[in-house]
Amino acid sequence: MIAIAAALAEIALILTHRGRRPSHTSGAGAALSFMAAGLGACAAGWLVIGRPAIAWGDLLLALMWGVAIASEAAQAARSLSGRAWAGWATACVGGAASATWLLPGPLPFI
C-alpha cells in the first residue's frame, strides 16, 4: 500500500513536470546522485521493515521504482520547486517507500 501510494505520487510529479516544461527543452535525465540516494534509501527501508525475504521479481520492482522512477521524480521535484532539498527528499522517500514492494502483506509492522 505504501509503495503504491508513493508510485502514484511519483508518477503525478513526473507528469506535472513534463506538462509544465516547454517543449523545446530536452530532459537531462536522472542524476546519478539521486539514483544513489534512492538506492541507499531502498536498502535502509528494507532494513527498517525487517529484512523480508527477497524474490527476484519483487527485487526488480523495488529497484525500478526506488532507483529509476524515484530519481526521475527527484529531478522533477528539484526543477519544479527550485530547491535542492526537495529533490533529495523525493529520492529518499521514494526509495524507502519502494522497499515495501518486498513485503508479503500490504502494510509493514502488522
Side-chain angles (χ1 to χ4, degrees):
M1 293 278 251
I2 295 171
I4 294 171
L8 291 175
E10 289 170 352
I11 289 171
L13 185 61
I14 291 169
L15 291 176
T16 301
H17 178 252
R18 290 189 180 182
R20 291 188 182 188
R21 185 176 60 197
S23 61
H24 65 277
T25 59
S26 62
L32 289 176
S33 56
F34 286 144
M35 290 178 124
L39 182 62
C42 190
W46 177 71
L47 290 172
V48 168
I49 62 174
R51 299 182 303 173
I54 297 174
W56 282 108
D58 294 339
L59 178 64
L60 293 175
L61 185 65
L63 289 177
M64 182 183 73
W65 284 100
V67 177
I69 305 298
S71 64
E72 181 72 25
Q75 196 78 355
R78 185 179 70 176
S79 177
L80 287 172
S81 71
R83 292 175 168 71
W85 66 265
W88 290 109
T90 303
C92 291
V93 169
S98 73
T100 60
W101 287 114
L102 302 172
L103 289 172
L107 294 172
F109 310 118
I110 292 180

